[in-house]
Amino acid sequence: MAKSDLKNFTLPGLEAFLSGQGKERFRATQIFKWLYQKDARSFAEMTNLSKDLRVELEESACISNLEPTTVEIGKDGTRKYLFVLEDGAGVESVIIPDEGRNTLCISSQAGCAMGCEFCLTGSYNLTRNLTTAEIVNQLCAIRREVEIRNIVFMGMGEPLHNLDNVIRALQIMLDGNGLQFSNRRVTVSTCGLVPEMARLGREVIVNLAISLNATTDELRDRIMPVNRRYPIGALLQACREFPLPSRRKLTFEYVLLGGLNDSPADAKRFLKLIHGIPSKVNLIPFNEHEGCDFIAPTREAIDAFHAYLLAHNVTVITRDSRGGDISAACGQLKGRVAAGEPVNVNQCS
Ligand code: SF4
């Protein structure tokens, strides 16, 4: 019988697993702390469990782990990690340093099915969803090396397209007996899967970022196929209904594409669209990459767009492109695995 990977369980899930084996539920909390607070990678390390329990767990369960296959470090300190999963699929995670506070950009899928035109990950199609353990293990592996302050689900994949695993991974990250992140420091980004936004809001409290990128359905239909299913009006209605804790804001991400969505008229429409939604705006000047026809916006267009929103009391940040020299910038992750790269093999493989 296949062993159960304990890193696929939330704390209540682990309690149910153990009680199904006739064990005390409180053992789950002990094991959870070993996994996430002491980074135990074997049952032998769990010295407050009886020897008999450890032997029984060895037979029915396993603890997966990931080690990065490569780490690239950009000139600005951005670090890109490639993980080659046991089936050979590659996923990437990125650490973005900011005055000593590191943000981890995490992947939720190998590839992506959403097909946003400006995104390199999208051009690779979806290989598969990551398991809960594979999502959490990116974080576990990287925090052995650097301290992580914020987590953003903005790596490869559309997180809400793998919602069961993403919710479980979030619950592990936020659990006081688990990875102990404050929900203020965790952000999930979506291209706009409307029903899943509502479910996320019902099941877990985290920050939500919406990748908007166009101010008309005509353009958004063209550059983000998801818009044909959930047009801008439905998306913004879902934003208005998203249960935000008091004094929190949604984030709107807007990739500025030269000559396409960066005009003064776009800025004006954008302002009108987000009117009344507690929000902040991240402007992301497009990074040109091979095989993509879009162009970067001019400095003047970026500044004018930014200034217009600011003048209308919108909290706006223009995100300088980070990690561009190692293809770690927004929309540039591809998880390409070179021939012969070692895959992660562990006791759950
Ligand atoms: S922008 Fe996000 S949702 Fe769109 S294709 Fe890229 S990874 Fe997928």
Side-chain angles (χ1 to χ4, degrees), residues 193-282:
L193 294 178
V194 164
E196 287 80 4
M197 284 167 63
R199 185 180 152 207
L200 178 76
R202 279 195 305 273
E203 296 196 19
V204 66
I205 298 172
V206 280
N207 300 315
L208 183 68
I210 294 95
S211 187
L212 192 63
N213 308 326
T215 57
T216 64
D217 280 322
E218 191 195 354
L219 179 62
R220 201 164 190 270
D221 280 354
R222 216 174 97 207
I223 64 173
M224 298 183 73
V226 69
N227 199 67
R228 295 173 211 155
R229 256 194 298 162
Y230 306 114
I232 292 174
L235 174 57
L236 294 175
Q237 186 55 30
C239 291
R240 290 192 166 84
E241 289 165 5
F242 191 79
L244 277 177
S246 68
R247 306 225 301 271
R248 295 268 190 108
K249 293 177 173 179
L250 292 178
T251 301
F252 286 101
E253 307 272 345
Y254 193 90
V255 177
L256 287 163
L257 302 162
L260 205 61
N261 67 357
D262 61 346
S263 69
D266 283 298
K268 205 170 170 186
R269 275 194 297 271
F270 185 58
L271 182 71
K272 216 167 157 192
L273 287 174
I274 64 171
H275 179 74
I277 303 176
S279 56
K280 52 191 174 180
V281 174
N282 281 344

Coordinates of all heavy atoms in Angstrom, one line a residue, residues 193-282:
L193 N -10.5 33.9 -11.7 CA -11.4 32.7 -11.6 C -12.5 33.1 -10.6 O -12.3 32.9 -9.4 CB -10.7 31.4 -11.3 CG -9.7 31.0 -12.4 CD1 -9.0 29.7 -11.9 CD2 -10.4 30.7 -13.7
V194 N -13.6 33.6 -11.0 CA -14.6 34.2 -10.2 C -15.2 33.3 -9.1 O -15.1 33.6 -7.9 CB -15.7 34.9 -11.0 CG1 -16.9 35.2 -10.2 CG2 -15.1 36.2 -11.6
P195 N -15.7 32.1 -9.5 CA -16.2 31.2 -8.4 C -15.2 30.8 -7.4 O -15.5 30.7 -6.2 CB -16.7 30.0 -9.2 CG -16.8 30.4 -10.6 CD -15.8 31.5 -10.8
E196 N -14.0 30.6 -7.8 CA -12.9 30.1 -6.9 C -12.5 31.3 -6.0 O -12.1 31.0 -4.9 CB -11.7 29.6 -7.7 CG -11.9 28.3 -8.4 CD -12.7 28.3 -9.7 OE1 -13.1 29.4 -10.1 OE2 -13.0 27.2 -10.2
M197 N -12.6 32.5 -6.4 CA -12.3 33.6 -5.6 C -13.2 33.6 -4.4 O -12.9 33.8 -3.2 CB -12.5 35.0 -6.3 CG -11.3 35.3 -7.3 SD -11.7 36.7 -8.4 CE -12.0 38.0 -7.3
A198 N -14.5 33.3 -4.6 CA -15.5 33.3 -3.6 C -15.2 32.2 -2.6 O -15.2 32.3 -1.4 CB -16.9 33.2 -4.1
R199 N -14.8 31.0 -3.1 CA -14.5 29.9 -2.3 C -13.3 30.2 -1.4 O -13.2 29.9 -0.2 CB -14.3 28.6 -3.1 CG -14.1 27.4 -2.2 CD -13.9 26.1 -2.9 NE -13.1 25.2 -2.1 CZ -12.3 24.3 -2.5 NH1 -12.2 24.0 -3.8 NH2 -11.6 23.6 -1.6
L200 N -12.3 30.7 -2.0 CA -11.0 31.1 -1.3 C -11.4 32.0 -0.1 O -11.0 31.8 1.1 CB -10.0 31.8 -2.2 CG -8.7 32.2 -1.5 CD1 -7.8 31.1 -1.2 CD2 -8.0 33.3 -2.3
G201 N -12.2 33.0 -0.4 CA -12.6 34.0 0.7 C -13.4 33.3 1.8 O -13.3 33.7 2.9
R202 N -14.2 32.3 1.4 CA -15.0 31.6 2.5 C -14.1 30.7 3.3 O -14.3 30.5 4.5 CB -16.0 30.6 1.8 CG -17.3 31.3 1.4 CD -18.4 30.3 1.1 NE -18.0 29.3 0.1 CZ -18.1 29.4 -1.2 NH1 -18.6 30.5 -1.7 NH2 -17.8 28.4 -2.0
E203 N -13.0 30.1 2.8 CA -12.3 29.1 3.5 C -11.0 29.5 4.2 O -10.5 28.8 5.1 CB -12.0 27.9 2.5 CG -13.3 27.3 2.0 CD -13.1 25.9 1.3 OE1 -12.0 25.3 1.6 OE2 -14.0 25.6 0.6
V204 N -10.5 30.6 3.8 CA -9.2 31.0 4.4 C -9.0 32.6 4.3 O -9.5 33.2 3.4 CB -8.0 30.2 3.7 CG1 -7.8 30.6 2.3 CG2 -6.7 30.4 4.5
I205 N -8.4 33.1 5.3 CA -8.2 34.6 5.3 C -6.7 34.8 4.8 O -5.8 34.5 5.5 CB -8.4 35.2 6.7 CG1 -9.8 35.0 7.1 CG2 -8.0 36.7 6.7 CD1 -10.0 35.5 8.6
V206 N -6.6 35.4 3.6 CA -5.3 35.8 3.1 C -5.5 37.1 2.3 O -6.7 37.5 2.0 CB -4.6 34.7 2.2 CG1 -4.0 33.6 3.0 CG2 -5.6 34.2 1.2
N207 N -4.4 37.7 1.9 CA -4.6 38.8 0.9 C -4.8 38.3 -0.5 O -4.3 37.2 -0.8 CB -3.3 39.6 0.9 CG -2.9 40.2 2.3 OD1 -3.8 40.7 3.0 ND2 -1.7 40.0 2.7
L208 N -5.5 39.1 -1.3 CA -5.8 38.6 -2.6 C -5.3 39.7 -3.6 O -5.5 40.9 -3.4 CB -7.3 38.4 -2.8 CG -7.8 37.9 -4.2 CD1 -7.3 36.5 -4.4 CD2 -9.3 38.0 -4.3
A209 N -4.6 39.2 -4.6 CA -4.2 40.1 -5.7 C -4.9 39.7 -7.0 O -5.0 38.5 -7.3 CB -2.7 40.1 -5.9
I210 N -5.4 40.7 -7.8 CA -6.0 40.4 -9.0 C -5.2 40.9 -10.2 O -4.8 42.1 -10.2 CB -7.5 41.0 -9.1 CG1 -8.3 40.3 -8.0 CG2 -8.1 40.8 -10.4 CD1 -8.4 41.0 -6.7
S211 N -4.9 40.0 -11.1 CA -4.1 40.4 -12.2 C -5.1 41.0 -13.3 O -5.7 40.2 -14.0 CB -3.4 39.2 -12.7 OG -2.4 39.5 -13.7
L212 N -5.2 42.3 -13.4 CA -6.2 42.9 -14.3 C -5.7 43.1 -15.7 O -6.3 42.6 -16.6 CB -6.7 44.2 -13.6 CG -8.0 44.8 -14.2 CD1 -9.2 43.8 -14.1 CD2 -8.3 46.1 -13.6
N213 N -4.8 44.0 -15.8 CA -4.0 44.1 -17.1 C -4.7 44.7 -18.3 O -4.1 44.8 -19.4 CB -3.4 42.8 -17.5 CG -2.6 42.2 -16.4 OD1 -2.0 42.9 -15.6 ND2 -2.6 40.9 -16.2
A214 N -6.0 45.0 -18.2 CA -6.7 45.7 -19.3 C -7.9 46.4 -18.7 O -8.4 46.0 -17.7 CB -7.1 44.7 -20.3
T215 N -8.4 47.4 -19.4 CA -9.5 48.2 -18.9 C -10.8 48.0 -19.8 O -11.8 48.6 -19.5 CB -9.2 49.7 -18.8 OG1 -8.7 50.1 -20.1 CG2 -8.1 49.9 -17.8
T216 N -10.6 47.2 -20.9 CA -11.8 46.9 -21.7 C -11.9 45.4 -21.9 O -10.8 44.7 -21.9 CB -11.7 47.6 -23.1 OG1 -10.6 47.0 -23.8 CG2 -11.6 49.1 -23.0
D217 N -13.1 44.9 -22.0 CA -13.2 43.4 -22.3 C -12.6 43.1 -23.6 O -12.1 42.0 -23.8 CB -14.7 43.0 -22.2 CG -15.2 42.9 -20.8 OD1 -14.4 42.4 -19.9 OD2 -16.4 43.3 -20.5
E218 N -12.7 44.0 -24.5 CA -12.1 43.7 -25.9 C -10.6 43.3 -25.7 O -10.2 42.3 -26.3 CB -12.3 44.9 -26.8 CG -12.1 44.6 -28.2 CD -11.9 45.9 -29.0 OE1 -12.2 47.0 -28.4 OE2 -11.5 45.8 -30.2
L219 N -9.9 44.2 -25.0 CA -8.4 43.9 -24.9 C -8.2 42.7 -24.0 O -7.4 41.9 -24.2 CB -7.7 45.1 -24.4 CG -6.2 44.9 -24.2 CD1 -5.5 44.6 -25.6 CD2 -5.5 46.2 -23.6
R220 N -8.9 42.7 -22.9 CA -8.7 41.6 -21.9 C -9.0 40.2 -22.5 O -8.3 39.3 -22.3 CB -9.4 41.9 -20.6 CG -8.8 41.1 -19.4 CD -9.3 41.7 -18.1 NE -8.6 41.1 -16.9 CZ -8.9 40.0 -16.3 NH1 -10.0 39.3 -16.6 NH2 -8.1 39.5 -15.3
D221 N -10.1 40.2 -23.3 CA -10.4 38.9 -24.0 C -9.2 38.4 -24.8 O -9.0 37.2 -24.9 CB -11.6 39.1 -25.0 CG -12.9 39.1 -24.3 OD1 -13.0 38.8 -23.1 OD2 -13.9 39.4 -25.0
R222 N -8.5 39.4 -25.4 CA -7.5 39.1 -26.3 C -6.2 38.6 -25.6 O -5.6 37.7 -26.0 CB -7.1 40.4 -27.1 CG -6.7 40.1 -28.6 CD -6.6 41.4 -29.3 NE -5.2 41.8 -29.4 CZ -4.7 43.0 -29.5 NH1 -5.6 44.0 -29.5 NH2 -3.5 43.3 -29.5
I223 N -5.9 39.3 -24.5 CA -4.6 39.0 -23.8 C -4.7 38.1 -22.6 O -3.7 37.5 -22.2 CB -3.8 40.3 -23.4 CG1 -4.6 41.1 -22.3 CG2 -3.5 41.2 -24.6 CD1 -3.8 42.3 -21.8
M224 N -6.0 37.9 -22.1 CA -6.2 37.0 -21.0 C -7.5 36.2 -21.3 O -8.6 36.6 -21.0 CB -6.4 37.7 -19.7 CG -5.1 38.5 -19.3 SD -5.3 39.4 -17.7 CE -5.2 38.0 -16.6
P225 N -7.3 35.0 -21.9 CA -8.5 34.2 -22.3 C -9.5 34.0 -21.2 O -10.7 33.8 -21.5 CB -7.9 32.9 -22.8 CG -6.5 33.2 -23.2 CD -6.0 34.3 -22.3
V226 N -9.1 34.0 -19.9 CA -10.0 33.8 -18.8 C -11.1 34.8 -18.9 O -12.2 34.6 -18.4 CB -9.2 33.8 -17.5 CG1 -8.7 35.2 -17.2 CG2 -10.1 33.3 -16.3
N227 N -10.9 36.0 -19.5 CA -11.8 37.1 -19.5 C -13.1 36.7 -20.3 O -14.2 37.2 -20.1 CB -11.2 38.3 -20.0 CG -12.0 39.6 -19.7 OD1 -12.1 39.9 -18.5 ND2 -12.6 40.2 -20.6
R228 N -12.9 35.7 -21.3 CA -14.1 35.3 -22.1 C -15.1 34.6 -21.2 O -16.3 34.5 -21.5 CB -13.6 34.5 -23.2 CG -12.7 35.3 -24.2 CD -12.1 34.4 -25.3 NE -10.8 34.9 -25.7 CZ -9.9 34.2 -26.2 NH1 -10.0 32.9 -26.4 NH2 -8.7 34.8 -26.5
R229 N -14.6 33.9 -20.1 CA -15.5 33.2 -19.2 C -16.0 34.2 -18.1 O -17.1 34.2 -17.7 CB -14.7 32.1 -18.5 CG -15.1 30.7 -19.1 CD -14.6 29.6 -18.2 NE -13.2 29.6 -18.1 CZ -12.5 28.9 -17.2 NH1 -13.1 28.3 -16.2 NH2 -11.2 28.9 -17.2
Y230 N -15.1 35.0 -17.6 CA -15.4 35.9 -16.5 C -15.0 37.3 -16.8 O -13.8 37.7 -16.5 CB -14.7 35.4 -15.2 CG -15.0 34.0 -14.8 CD1 -14.0 33.1 -14.8 CD2 -16.3 33.6 -14.5 CE1 -14.2 31.7 -14.5 CE2 -16.5 32.3 -14.2 CZ -15.5 31.3 -14.2 OH -15.8 30.0 -13.9
P231 N -15.8 38.0 -17.5 CA -15.4 39.4 -18.0 C -15.2 40.4 -16.8 O -15.5 40.1 -15.7 CB -16.6 39.8 -18.8 CG -17.7 38.8 -18.7 CD -17.2 37.6 -17.9
I232 N -14.7 41.5 -17.2 CA -14.3 42.5 -16.2 C -15.4 42.8 -15.2 O -15.2 42.9 -14.0 CB -13.8 43.8 -16.8 CG1 -12.5 43.5 -17.6 CG2 -13.5 44.9 -15.8 CD1 -11.9 44.7 -18.4
G233 N -16.6 43.0 -15.6 CA -17.7 43.3 -14.7 C -17.9 42.3 -13.7 O -18.1 42.6 -12.5
A234 N -17.9 41.0 -14.1 CA -18.1 39.9 -13.1 C -16.9 39.8 -12.2 O -17.1 39.5 -11.0 CB -18.3 38.6 -13.9
L235 N -15.7 40.0 -12.7 CA -14.5 40.0 -11.9 C -14.6 41.1 -10.8 O -14.3 40.8 -9.6 CB -13.3 40.1 -12.8 CG -11.9 40.2 -12.1 CD1 -11.7 39.0 -11.2 CD2 -10.8 40.4 -13.1
L236 N -14.9 42.3 -11.2 CA -14.9 43.4 -10.2 C -16.1 43.2 -9.2 O -15.9 43.6 -8.0 CB -15.0 44.7 -10.9 CG -13.7 45.0 -11.7 CD1 -13.9 46.3 -12.5 CD2 -12.5 45.1 -10.8
Q237 N -17.2 42.6 -9.6 CA -18.2 42.3 -8.7 C -17.7 41.3 -7.6 O -18.0 41.5 -6.4 CB -19.4 41.7 -9.4 CG -20.7 41.5 -8.6 CD -21.1 42.8 -7.8 OE1 -20.9 43.9 -8.3 NE2 -21.7 42.6 -6.6
A238 N -17.0 40.3 -8.1 CA -16.4 39.3 -7.1 C -15.4 40.0 -6.2 O -15.3 39.6 -5.0 CB -15.7 38.2 -7.9
C239 N -14.7 41.0 -6.7 CA -13.8 41.7 -5.8 C -14.5 42.5 -4.8 O -14.1 42.5 -3.6 CB -13.0 42.8 -6.7 SG -11.8 42.0 -7.8
R240 N -15.7 43.1 -5.2 CA -16.5 43.8 -4.2 C -17.0 42.9 -3.1 O -17.2 43.4 -2.0 CB -17.6 44.6 -4.9 CG -17.1 45.7 -5.8 CD -18.3 46.6 -6.2 NE -17.7 47.9 -6.7 CZ -17.2 48.0 -8.0 NH1 -17.3 47.0 -8.8 NH2 -16.6 49.1 -8.4
E241 N -17.3 41.7 -3.5 CA -17.9 40.7 -2.5 C -16.8 40.0 -1.7 O -17.2 39.2 -0.8 CB -18.8 39.8 -3.3 CG -20.0 40.4 -3.8 CD -20.8 39.6 -4.9 OE1 -20.4 38.4 -5.1 OE2 -21.8 40.1 -5.4
F242 N -15.6 40.1 -2.1 CA -14.5 39.3 -1.4 C -14.5 39.8 0.1 O -14.3 40.9 0.4 CB -13.2 39.5 -2.1 CG -12.1 38.5 -1.6 CD1 -12.1 37.2 -2.0 CD2 -11.2 38.9 -0.6 CE1 -11.2 36.3 -1.6 CE2 -10.2 38.0 -0.2 CZ -10.2 36.7 -0.7
P243 N -14.5 38.8 1.0 CA -14.5 39.2 2.4 C -13.2 39.6 2.9 O -12.3 38.8 3.3 CB -15.0 37.9 3.1 CG -14.6 36.8 2.2 CD -14.6 37.3 0.8
L244 N -13.0 40.9 2.9 CA -11.7 41.5 3.4 C -11.8 41.8 4.9 O -12.8 42.4 5.4 CB -11.4 42.8 2.7 CG -10.8 42.8 1.3 CD1 -10.7 44.3 0.9 CD2 -9.5 42.2 1.3
P245 N -10.7 41.4 5.7 CA -10.7 41.8 7.1 C -10.6 43.4 7.1 O -10.2 44.0 6.1 CB -9.4 41.2 7.6 CG -9.0 40.2 6.6 CD -9.6 40.6 5.3
S246 N -11.1 44.0 8.2 CA -11.2 45.4 8.2 C -9.8 46.0 8.0 O -8.8 45.5 8.5 CB -11.8 45.9 9.5 OG -10.9 45.6 10.6
R247 N -9.8 47.1 7.3 CA -8.6 47.9 7.0 C -7.6 47.2 6.0 O -6.5 47.6 5.8 CB -7.8 48.3 8.3 CG -8.7 49.1 9.3 CD -8.0 50.3 9.8 NE -6.8 50.0 10.5 CZ -6.7 49.8 11.8 NH1 -7.8 49.7 12.5 NH2 -5.6 49.6 12.4
R248 N -8.1 46.1 5.5 CA -7.2 45.4 4.4 C -7.7 45.9 3.0 O -8.8 46.3 2.9 CB -7.4 43.9 4.5 CG -6.9 43.3 5.7 CD -5.4 42.8 5.6 NE -5.2 42.0 6.8 CZ -5.0 40.7 6.8 NH1 -5.0 40.1 5.7 NH2 -4.9 40.1 7.9
K249 N -6.8 45.7 2.1 CA -7.1 46.1 0.7 C -6.8 45.0 -0.3 O -5.9 44.2 0.0 CB -6.2 47.3 0.3 CG -6.6 48.6 1.1 CD -5.6 49.7 0.7 CE -6.1 51.0 1.4 NZ -5.2 52.1 1.1
L250 N -7.5 45.0 -1.3 CA -7.2 44.1 -2.4 C -6.0 44.7 -3.2 O -5.8 45.9 -3.1 CB -8.3 43.9 -3.4 CG -9.6 43.2 -2.9 CD1 -10.6 43.1 -4.1 CD2 -9.2 41.7 -2.6
T251 N -5.3 43.9 -3.9 CA -4.2 44.5 -4.8 C -4.6 44.2 -6.2 O -5.0 43.1 -6.6 CB -2.9 43.8 -4.5 OG1 -2.5 43.9 -3.1 CG2 -1.7 44.3 -5.4
F252 N -4.5 45.2 -7.0 CA -4.7 45.1 -8.5 C -3.3 45.1 -9.1 O -2.6 46.1 -8.9 CB -5.6 46.1 -9.1 CG -7.1 45.9 -8.7 CD1 -7.7 46.6 -7.7 CD2 -7.8 44.9 -9.4 CE1 -9.0 46.4 -7.4 CE2 -9.1 44.7 -9.1 CZ -9.7 45.5 -8.1
E253 N -3.0 44.0 -9.8 CA -1.7 44.0 -10.6 C -2.1 44.4 -12.0 O -3.1 44.0 -12.6 CB -1.2 42.6 -10.6 CG -1.0 41.9 -9.3 CD 0.3 42.2 -8.6 OE1 1.2 42.6 -9.3 OE2 0.4 41.9 -7.4
Y254 N -1.2 45.3 -12.6 CA -1.5 45.8 -13.9 C -0.1 45.8 -14.7 O 0.7 46.6 -14.4 CB -2.1 47.2 -13.8 CG -2.7 47.7 -15.1 CD1 -4.1 47.4 -15.4 CD2 -1.9 48.4 -16.0 CE1 -4.6 47.9 -16.6 CE2 -2.5 48.9 -17.2 CZ -3.8 48.6 -17.5 OH -4.4 49.1 -18.7
V255 N 0.0 44.8 -15.6 CA 1.2 44.8 -16.4 C 1.1 45.8 -17.5 O 0.1 45.8 -18.3 CB 1.4 43.4 -17.0 CG1 2.7 43.4 -17.9 CG2 1.6 42.3 -15.9
L256 N 2.0 46.8 -17.5 CA 1.9 47.8 -18.5 C 2.6 47.3 -19.8 O 3.8 47.0 -19.8 CB 2.6 49.1 -18.0 CG 1.9 49.9 -16.9 CD1 2.9 50.8 -16.2 CD2 0.7 50.7 -17.5
L257 N 1.8 47.2 -20.9 CA 2.2 46.8 -22.2 C 2.4 48.0 -23.1 O 1.4 48.7 -23.3 CB 1.3 45.7 -22.7 CG 1.0 44.5 -21.8 CD1 -0.3 43.8 -22.3 CD2 2.2 43.5 -21.9
G258 N 3.6 48.2 -23.6 CA 3.8 49.4 -24.4 C 2.8 49.6 -25.5 O 2.6 48.7 -26.4
G259 N 2.2 50.7 -25.6 CA 1.3 51.1 -26.7 C -0.1 50.3 -26.7 O -0.9 50.5 -27.6
L260 N -0.3 49.5 -25.7 CA -1.5 48.6 -25.7 C -2.5 49.0 -24.6 O -3.7 49.0 -24.8 CB -1.1 47.2 -25.6 CG -2.0 46.1 -26.2 CD1 -2.2 46.4 -27.7 CD2 -1.5 44.7 -26.0
N261 N -2.0 49.1 -23.4 CA -2.9 49.4 -22.2 C -2.3 50.4 -21.3 O -2.7 50.5 -20.1 CB -3.1 48.1 -21.4 CG -1.8 47.6 -20.7 OD1 -0.8 48.2 -20.9 ND2 -1.9 46.5 -20.0
D262 N -1.4 51.3 -21.9 CA -0.7 52.2 -21.0 C -1.0 53.7 -21.3 O -0.2 54.6 -21.0 CB 0.8 51.9 -21.1 CG 1.3 52.1 -22.5 OD1 0.5 52.2 -23.5 OD2 2.6 52.2 -22.7
S263 N -2.1 53.9 -22.0 CA -2.4 55.3 -22.4 C -3.1 56.1 -21.3 O -3.7 55.5 -20.3 CB -3.4 55.3 -23.6 OG -4.6 54.8 -23.2
P264 N -3.2 57.4 -21.4 CA -4.0 58.1 -20.4 C -5.5 57.7 -20.3 O -6.1 57.7 -19.2 CB -3.9 59.6 -20.9 CG -2.6 59.6 -21.7 CD -2.5 58.3 -22.3
A265 N -6.0 57.3 -21.5 CA -7.4 56.8 -21.4 C -7.5 55.5 -20.6 O -8.5 55.3 -19.9 CB -7.9 56.6 -22.9
D266 N -6.5 54.7 -20.7 CA -6.5 53.4 -19.9 C -6.5 53.8 -18.4 O -7.2 53.2 -17.6 CB -5.3 52.5 -20.3 CG -5.5 51.8 -21.6 OD1 -6.5 51.0 -21.7 OD2 -4.7 52.0 -22.5
A267 N -5.6 54.7 -18.1 CA -5.5 55.1 -16.7 C -6.8 55.6 -16.1 O -7.2 55.2 -15.0 CB -4.4 56.1 -16.5
K268 N -7.5 56.4 -17.0 CA -8.8 56.9 -16.6 C -9.8 55.8 -16.4 O -10.6 55.8 -15.4 CB -9.3 57.9 -17.7 CG -10.2 58.9 -17.2 CD -10.4 60.0 -18.3 CE -11.5 60.9 -17.9 NZ -11.9 61.8 -19.0
R269 N -9.9 54.9 -17.3 CA -10.8 53.8 -17.2 C -10.5 52.9 -16.0 O -11.4 52.4 -15.3 CB -10.8 52.9 -18.5 CG -11.7 53.4 -19.6 CD -11.8 52.4 -20.7 NE -10.6 52.0 -21.3 CZ -10.1 52.6 -22.4 NH1 -10.7 53.6 -23.0 NH2 -8.9 52.3 -22.9
F270 N -9.2 52.7 -15.8 CA -8.8 51.9 -14.7 C -9.3 52.4 -13.4 O -9.8 51.7 -12.5 CB -7.2 51.8 -14.7 CG -6.6 50.9 -13.7 CD1 -7.0 49.5 -13.6 CD2 -5.7 51.3 -12.8 CE1 -6.4 48.7 -12.7 CE2 -5.2 50.5 -11.8 CZ -5.5 49.2 -11.8
L271 N -9.1 53.7 -13.2 CA -9.6 54.4 -12.0 C -11.1 54.2 -11.8 O -11.5 53.9 -10.7 CB -9.2 55.9 -12.1 CG -9.6 56.7 -10.9 CD1 -8.6 56.4 -9.7 CD2 -9.5 58.2 -11.2
K272 N -11.8 54.3 -12.9 CA -13.3 54.2 -12.8 C -13.6 52.7 -12.4 O -14.5 52.5 -11.6 CB -13.8 54.5 -14.2 CG -15.2 55.2 -14.1 CD -15.5 55.7 -15.5 CE -17.0 55.9 -15.5 NZ -17.5 56.2 -16.9
L273 N -12.9 51.8 -13.0 CA -13.2 50.4 -12.7 C -13.1 50.0 -11.2 O -13.9 49.3 -10.6 CB -12.3 49.4 -13.5 CG -12.6 49.4 -15.0 CD1 -11.6 48.5 -15.7 CD2 -14.0 48.8 -15.3
I274 N -12.0 50.5 -10.6 CA -11.7 50.1 -9.2 C -12.3 51.0 -8.2 O -12.2 50.8 -7.0 CB -10.2 50.0 -8.9 CG1 -9.5 51.4 -9.1 CG2 -9.5 49.0 -9.9 CD1 -8.0 51.4 -8.6
H275 N -13.1 52.0 -8.7 CA -13.7 53.0 -7.8 C -14.6 52.2 -6.7 O -15.4 51.3 -7.0 CB -14.6 53.9 -8.6 CG -15.3 54.9 -7.7 ND1 -14.7 56.0 -7.2 CD2 -16.6 55.0 -7.2 CE1 -15.5 56.7 -6.4 NE2 -16.7 56.1 -6.4
G276 N -14.4 52.6 -5.5 CA -15.2 52.0 -4.4 C -14.6 50.7 -3.8 O -15.2 50.2 -2.9
I277 N -13.6 50.2 -4.4 CA -13.0 48.9 -3.9 C -11.8 49.3 -3.1 O -10.9 49.9 -3.6 CB -12.6 47.9 -5.1 CG1 -13.8 47.7 -6.0 CG2 -12.0 46.7 -4.5 CD1 -13.5 46.8 -7.2
P278 N -11.8 48.9 -1.8 CA -10.6 49.2 -1.0 C -9.4 48.5 -1.7 O -9.3 47.2 -1.7 CB -10.9 48.6 0.3 CG -12.3 48.2 0.3 CD -12.7 48.1 -1.1
S279 N -8.5 49.2 -2.3 CA -7.4 48.6 -3.1 C -6.2 49.4 -3.2 O -6.1 50.6 -2.9 CB -8.0 48.3 -4.5 OG -8.4 49.5 -5.1
K280 N -5.1 48.7 -3.5 CA -3.9 49.3 -3.9 C -3.5 48.7 -5.3 O -4.0 47.7 -5.6 CB -2.8 49.1 -2.9 CG -2.6 47.7 -2.5 CD -1.7 47.6 -1.2 CE -1.6 46.2 -0.8 NZ -0.8 45.9 0.3
V281 N -2.6 49.4 -6.0 CA -2.3 49.1 -7.3 C -0.8 48.8 -7.5 O 0.0 49.7 -7.1 CB -2.8 50.2 -8.3 CG1 -2.3 49.9 -9.7 CG2 -4.3 50.3 -8.2
N282 N -0.5 47.7 -8.1 CA 0.9 47.5 -8.5 C 1.0 47.6 -10.0 O 0.4 46.8 -10.7 CB 1.4 46.1 -8.1 CG 1.7 46.0 -6.7 OD1 1.9 47.0 -6.0 ND2 1.8 44.7 -6.2

